[in-house]
Amino acid sequence: MEVRLARTAAEIDASQALRYRVFYEEMAARPTPEMARRARDFDDFDPLCDHLLVIDHGRGEGASSVVGTYRLIRRTVAAQHGGFYSAAEYDIAKLERLPGEILELGRSCVDAGYRTRPTMQLLWRGIAEYVFHHRISLMFGCASLPGTDPATLALPLSYLYYHHLAPEPLRPRALEDRYVDMRLLPPEAVEPLRALAVLPPLVKGYLRLGGFVGDGAVVDEQFNTTDICIVVKTDLVTDKYYKHYERRSREG
């Protein structure tokens, strides 16, 4: 398997097909009629952003070979579109005012048969190389918890707020008309180990890299999820992944 950016329209199409299978067929998101007709997940950001792919050449060279994907949107790209994708759910003005390059991560998904540690390591290796190449100092984006009833997510949401809230200068806040208070349980009722056990693996991965969450959750009816905003300073990403793989390549 290899990880790299999509190079052709056909490869972007393959990533959109994978996103459709995972988000709409597996996770019961609600497609538009055009999405359903094409069996593709797409929006206006897709032609502008970079698409990171995990490719298994053992499945051939067609669309089925793309088994993992991430969508990467830099500040310069967002400016062409009038803003970042996350701005539809969160006030990210504090992040946009930061100097240097920032990166929005989104549309992360992996084929059901490839949800293994090696696949996620490949995706993170690709992100680390991208971050290093573009000198990105901070990453952010919406991450999802399953379901649209925050009450059923009281434990993980409360845990994230009390233990991983972003410092004020880096703290996005859910837009007022979409804001769901994450403090659904009192602090003394939150058992961290139980909360971590029910968090999605992707969110736990961000936390291991020192990630923070913004203030407030957002219910996304289309995707059948409850979203949080993740913020990750990239120094740990590059240290933990990029240098590790560079060392291995030198040793090889």
Side-chain angles (χ1 to χ4, degrees):
M1 293 201 296
E2 72 167 324
V3 61
R4 62 170 172 80
L5 296 179
R7 297 169 181 160
T8 66
E11 289 181 343
I12 295 174
D13 182 75
S15 74
Q16 293 170 330
L18 172 62
R19 283 158 36 185
Y20 188 89
R21 292 198 305 274
V22 173
F23 297 144
Y24 296 91
E25 295 179 353
E26 179 183 341
M27 298 173 60
R30 298 169 183 164
T32 65
E34 180 66 9
M35 287 178 181
R37 185 184 69 80
R38 293 171 51 187
R40 299 291 186 272
D41 171 56
F42 59 88
D43 64 20
D44 292 341
F45 284 91
D46 279 329
L48 300 172
C49 65
D50 287 323
H51 300 262
L52 187 67
L53 310 177
V54 173
I55 301 171
D56 182 357
H57 294 289
R59 297 179 64 161
E61 297 301 317
S64 65
S65 67
V66 174
V67 297
T69 187
Y70 243 115
R71 193 166 73 174
L72 313 176
I73 305 176
R74 285 176 286 134
R75 187 197 298 272
T76 47
V77 171
Q80 297 176 45
H81 195 276
F84 286 100
Y85 178 87
S86 300
E89 296 188 354
Y90 285 86
D91 179 352
I92 55 172
K94 291 177 181 176
L95 305 184
E96 292 178 302
R97 286 196 292 267
L98 294 172
E101 185 62 273
I102 59 177
L103 175 68
E104 182 181 49
L105 303 174
R107 289 299 202 275
S108 168
C109 64
V110 175
D111 182 272
Y114 288 80
R115 290 171 193 162
T116 60
R117 186 181 181 94
T119 305
M120 289 309 301
Q121 286 178 329
L122 269 179
L123 277 171
W124 278 108
R125 172 187 168 185
I127 290 170
E129 291 173 349
Y130 190 92
V131 161
F132 189 89
H133 179 76
H134 292 286
R135 301 177 181 271
I136 290 159
S137 59
L138 184 128
M139 307 186 301
F140 69 99
C142 292
S144 300
L145 281 66
T148 55
D149 180 4
T152 65
L153 301 167
L155 177 60
L157 290 176
S158 301
Y159 166 77
L160 289 168
Y161 184 92
Y162 295 132
H163 292 269
H164 297 282
L165 187 65
E168 184 64 36
L170 298 177
R171 189 183 304 165
R173 179 180 167 85
L175 300 178
E176 286 302 322
D177 62 340
R178 307 194 68 178
Y179 181 93
V180 175
D181 197 328
M182 299 169 70
R183 294 167 290 182
L184 298 170
L185 297 174
E188 62 272 14
V190 175
E191 299 179 38
L193 290 179
R194 281 187 58 226
L196 284 167
V198 298
L199 280 176
L202 184 64
V203 174
K204 285 191 280 194
Y206 290 134
L207 298 183
R208 280 194 293 269
L209 290 168
F212 303 109
V213 299
D215 180 11
V218 172
V219 172
D220 187 335
E221 296 287 352
Q222 181 191 358
F223 277 86
N224 193 33
T225 59
T226 298
D227 295 345
I228 55 175
C229 191
I230 296 285
V231 178
V232 182
K233 297 168 72 175
T234 61
D235 48 358
L236 282 177
V237 178
T238 51
D239 287 348
K240 185 172 181 177
Y241 287 91
Y242 186 85
K243 292 179 181 178
H244 169 69
Y245 283 103
E246 283 298 286
R247 184 173 66 251
R248 285 186 60 185
S249 67
R250 287 197 300 270
E251 291 171 352

